[in-house]
Amino acid sequence: MKLNILLCLLIAVVLFWTACKKNEEVIAKDSTPYILDTYNLPDFNIAPDNVLTIQGVKLGRMLFYEKKLSKDGSQACASCHVQEDGFSDKNQFSTGVEKKLGGRQAMPIFNLGLHKISFFWDGRAATIREQSLKPIQDPLEMNETLDNVVKKLSNDNIYLDQFIRVFGDNKITTERISLALEQFMTTIVSGNSKYDQVLAGKAQYTPEEERGRKIFFTEFDPSGKVKGGECFHCHGGPNFTNYQFQNNGLNTDNEFTDLGRYKVTQNASDKAKFK
């Protein structure tokens, strides 16, 4: 009798263990490509050593919204790069951890794959991946060390599993974090706005919008007969930028409070120039 009971218990344990193994997800590297829809925009510049994958973009998105990247767990990249505000900050100066006020506003980060020069307002980062790590370490932004970020993520099984899917093993490094963030940020595309829809013949401007369009794309006429704004000279092309660093001329040399590009190049002609 006892033998039969023990045998039944053994069979039950084996069946339970087998069922658990069947339901257990096998985690492995998944290099399925991510198909980026850029609408009618020019082809994006994708780093050849960081080809977009579905799992890579997913990991980048997880990190973009992850508050563990900040010192006190209160902020993520998305805290200042707010989607409903064009992945930017509608405030004049962005607020970091401990309510510290930054010196600038968080830049909009859509269509980064079209950018032809370096990143940040002053261009201090050459690539998206380099740019992605700097706010984490900035004392006025997320104010955290990269070593601490790696430690926090390494204690999270969800991240360990996702790093396996992207890189083939669960080793978390700052380089891999930056590659994943670069993948996600490259996929933030603005190519279906009303402007794009009008160009495609799928929408029409209101009379007021049409007046604005004409002012934006018309040369200034000194006679005053044609009221053009000449905006398109600097804000031109599919991404409405000339990808240059420029001084908007609002301040005199004695009034500069932010030297902009000069902080990077130390070239006097770059004072108060911004992307």
Side-chain angles (χ1 to χ4, degrees), residues 210-221 225-233:
E210 177 60 17
R211 288 196 300 273
R213 186 196 67 79
K214 287 181 178 178
I215 292 172
F216 190 94
F217 287 105
T218 302
E219 298 272 2
F220 173 72
D221 182 356
K225 294 179 181 179
V226 180
K227 296 182 178 179
E230 299 198 40
C231 311
F232 69 97
H233 286 302

Side-chain angles (χ1 to χ4, degrees), residues 51-65:
V51 178
L52 303 183
T53 66
I54 291 175
Q55 296 300 335
V57 172
K58 179 180 178 180
L59 174 59
R61 188 184 188 282
M62 290 166 61
L63 292 168
F64 189 82
Y65 287 91

Side-chain angles (χ1 to χ4, degrees), residues 229-241:
E230 299 198 40
C231 311
F232 69 97
H233 286 302
C234 295
H235 301 284
N239 215 23
F240 289 94
T241 178

